[in-house]
């Protein structure tokens, strides 16, 4: 077990808990087929969503327990009213040293200056293809041009940009090599993600045709001298670089779940469900606790209890669910 640092909470498997992924909304302006059904999406009533005040209070309490990094996600974060003001407030919470965001890039461009101003360093941009037609087939909205422009605007503004591309059999595997090629002249990280079963389509579990090994051999078919980079301690991706290229390439084995041993993250859904693993179905609801008048001290103790009962990995978490996976990633935040 690694040496434990005081003031950081370690779970029952000796993993530090330092990172919160905060889904601020379940709404979205795209309909990526791996994430949401095309029609019939039932958004939750606003009264069920955590308010900004509730999120700020929760993050403050978590920061006292050693959470120092927050990633905003969703749904699409920027569709929530006054998101940028909320981000400013989050960035001012003592102990939160790193504030990042995952976004689909449609509304993001106009907030670049403010994100820089508040100290956001890294932006994850979802872009599964470099082909406008395939973008429409995947995201079911004709928004490729704006997302592609946002990518370069973010790079020009000096953000550390990671492009998230979910690899889908028969949909965008032709994009793997062109996406890698983007790293030749741009200091960007392209991260290929194994497709997970969180598509909101009900209880169906896709067979994983493109796992990390297959994605890696596809890349090596064109770039045989691809170099392995050293992965940072809590990295979810295996990272590589084509020699002399400016950017790098990562593969996230989200379905194979090879990264659980170093997992330092928890998730809060837009409705306040706390997830201590991506694959669990929520260990408690923070919204209900806050609205029932819990004190910060009791909230802290509640967090401590659940952190000491984390599943070892995503397989154990999945076995412990009350129901089979049928939810959409918009409710989880990726
Ligand atoms: N709307 C924002 C976006 O798309 O970047 C943030 C929320 S989205 C749910 C967060 C990440 O989850 C995205 O990078 C998306 O590609 C990924 N994602 C969504 N559904 C997925 C699935 N079924 N399998 C793997 N990744 C998925
Ligand atoms: Fe929306 Fe992001 Fe899900 Fe696509 S992946 S539907 S952009 S929440």
């Amino acid at each position: 077990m690694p040496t434990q640092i005081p003031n950081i909470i370690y779970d029952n498997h000796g993993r530090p808990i330092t990172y919160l992924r905060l889904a601020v909304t379940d709404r979205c302006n795209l309909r990526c087929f791996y994430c949401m059904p095309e029609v019939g999406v039932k958004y939750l009533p606003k009264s069920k969503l955590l308010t900004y005040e509730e999120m700020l209070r929760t993050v403050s309490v978590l920061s006292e327990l050693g959470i120092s990094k927050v990633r905003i996600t969703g749904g699409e974060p920027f569709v929530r009213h006054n998101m940028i003001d909320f981000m400013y407030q989050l960035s001012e919470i003592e102990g939160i040293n790193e504030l990042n965001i995952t976004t689909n890039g449609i509304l993001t461009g106009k907030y670049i200056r403010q994100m820089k101003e508040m100290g956001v360093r890294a932006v994850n941009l979802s872009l599964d293809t470099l082909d406008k037609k395939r973008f429409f087939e995947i995201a079911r909205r004709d928004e490729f041009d704006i997302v592609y422009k946002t990518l370069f605007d973010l790079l020009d503004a000096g953000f550390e940009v990671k492009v998230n591309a979910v690899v889908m059999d028969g949909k965008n595997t032709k994009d793997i090599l062109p996406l890698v090629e983007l790293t030749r002249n741009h200091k960007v990280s392209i991260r290929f993600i194994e497709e997970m079963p969180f598509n909101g389509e009900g209880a169906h579990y896709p067979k994983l045709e493109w796992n990390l090994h297959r994605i890696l051999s596809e890349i090596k078919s064109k770039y045989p001298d691809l170099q392995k980079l050293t992965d940072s301690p809590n990295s979810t991706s295996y990272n590589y670089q084509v020699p002399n290229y400016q950017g790098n390439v990562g593969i996230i084995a989200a379905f194979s779940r090879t990264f659980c041993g170093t997992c330092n993250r928890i998730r809060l859904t837009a409705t306040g469900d706390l997830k201590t693993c991506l694959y669990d179905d929520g260990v408690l609801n923070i919204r209900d606790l806050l609205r029932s008048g819990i004190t910060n001290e009791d909230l802290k103790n509640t967090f401590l209890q659940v952190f000491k009962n984390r599943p070892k990995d995503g397989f154990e978490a999945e076995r412990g669910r009350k129901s089979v996976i049928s939810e959409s990633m918009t409710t989880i935040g990726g």
Side-chain angles (χ1 to χ4, degrees):
M1 205 175 281
T3 321
Q4 304 207 340
I5 304 164
N7 303 329
I8 288 187
I9 305 301
Y10 290 80
D11 72 7
N12 43 322
H13 304 284
R15 298 170 295 195
I17 314 269
T18 54
Y19 175 14
L20 169 71
R21 297 179 63 100
L22 179 63
V24 293
T25 180
D26 62 336
R27 278 115 168 118
C28 192
N29 44 6
L30 291 183
R31 286 290 177 279
C32 305
F33 87 94
Y34 51 79
C35 179
M36 272 174 129
E38 183 166 14
V39 288
V41 177
K42 288 194 197 75
Y43 286 141
L44 294 154
K46 287 217 172 93
S47 60
K48 297 262 183 216
L49 305 185
L50 286 174
T51 63
Y52 285 146
E53 289 70 28
E54 287 168 336
M55 289 188 243
L56 290 167
R57 182 176 162 201
T58 308
V59 174
S60 291
V61 168
L62 284 168
S63 74
E64 289 170 27
L65 293 174
I67 295 277
S68 57
K69 171 174 171 181
V70 176
R71 172 173 299 281
I72 295 179
T73 175
E76 172 49 36
F78 286 114
V79 302
R80 186 151 178 181
H81 196 55
N82 287 341
M83 245 303 293
I84 201 75
D85 296 335
F86 169 66
M87 285 177 74
Y88 270 110
Q89 289 175 290
L90 260 187
S91 70
E92 281 163 7
I93 294 179
E94 202 177 322
I96 301 303
N97 308 327
E98 203 176 326
L99 175 64
N100 298 326
I101 188 163
T102 300
T103 171
N104 65 22
I106 296 178
L107 301 171
T108 319
K110 59 176 180 252
Y111 300 110
I112 284 181
R113 186 188 56 76
Q114 284 134 301
M115 289 199 295
K116 273 269 137 230
E117 198 175 82
M118 70 179 80
V120 172
R121 257 192 325 102
V123 177
N124 286 10
L125 182 76
S126 298
L127 179 62
D128 305 304
T129 174
L130 296 176
D131 179 274
K132 198 171 157 69
K133 190 162 155 278
R134 281 201 287 281
F135 183 97
F136 182 75
E137 284 164 12
I138 294 167
R140 296 150 168 164
R141 298 287 186 271
D142 190 12
E143 300 281 10
F144 173 79
D145 292 338
I146 181 81
V147 179
Y148 194 63
K149 177 178 183 310
T150 301
L151 166 61
F152 294 102
D153 288 349
L154 288 166
L155 287 170
D156 288 346
F159 287 99
E160 191 185 295
V161 182
K162 292 179 178 159
V163 168
N164 285 350
V166 180
V167 179
M168 298 156 279
D169 194 43
K171 295 275 187 194
N172 68 341
T173 51
K174 281 195 222 117
D175 287 288
I176 295 176
L177 297 178
L179 280 165
V180 173
E181 197 48 33
L182 257 191
T183 67
R184 178 195 287 267
N185 295 319
H186 301 285
K187 214 167 172 302
V188 61
S189 302
I190 304 290
R191 297 162 6 129
F192 297 106
I193 308 177
E194 289 180 351
E195 186 180 358
M196 292 179 279
F198 298 108
N199 47 35
E201 296 277 5
H204 86 106
Y205 215 103
K207 183 169 174 293
L208 185 67
E209 300 288 347
W210 284 79
N211 65 11
L212 81 148
H213 304 294
R214 188 163 176 202
I215 297 168
L216 186 59
S217 24
E218 174 72 7
I219 300 172
K220 284 190 170 166
S221 70
K222 176 156 179 208
Y223 305 99
D225 49 357
L226 191 73
Q227 286 172 347
K228 180 79 190 72
L229 300 175
T230 308
D231 302 323
S232 62
N234 302 105
S235 174
T236 50
S237 53
Y238 297 106
N239 300 295
Y240 302 87
Q241 188 167 41
V242 179
N244 304 317
Y245 278 25
Q246 290 191 41
N248 57 61
V249 175
I251 306 178
I252 303 183
F255 190 94
S256 311
R257 288 162 252 188
T258 53
F259 45 61
C260 303
T262 56
C263 177
N264 62 343
R265 60 196 64 198
I266 55 170
R267 292 174 165 80
L268 195 59
T269 71
T271 53
D273 282 323
L274 178 75
K275 290 164 70 73
T276 60
C277 173
L278 173 60
Y279 281 84
D280 72 32
D281 49 2
V283 292
L284 55 90
N285 188 279
I286 299 295
R287 179 201 60 214
D288 294 344
L289 290 176
L290 294 175
R291 293 185 191 174
S292 72
I294 191 168
T295 63
N296 283 0
E297 212 40 48
D298 286 347
L299 189 57
K300 247 188 220 173
N301 288 330
T302 310
F303 280 127
L304 289 175
Q305 264 173 27
V306 294
F307 293 172
K308 290 291 176 201
N309 280 293
R310 281 182 93 205
K312 167 168 96 340
D313 57 29
F315 297 102
E316 188 180 308
E318 194 178 347
R319 284 195 298 276
R321 289 174 64 103
K322 295 172 276 305
S323 56
V324 290
I325 291 173
S326 63
E327 65 266 38
S328 158
M329 192 59 104
T330 53
T331 63
I332 304 171

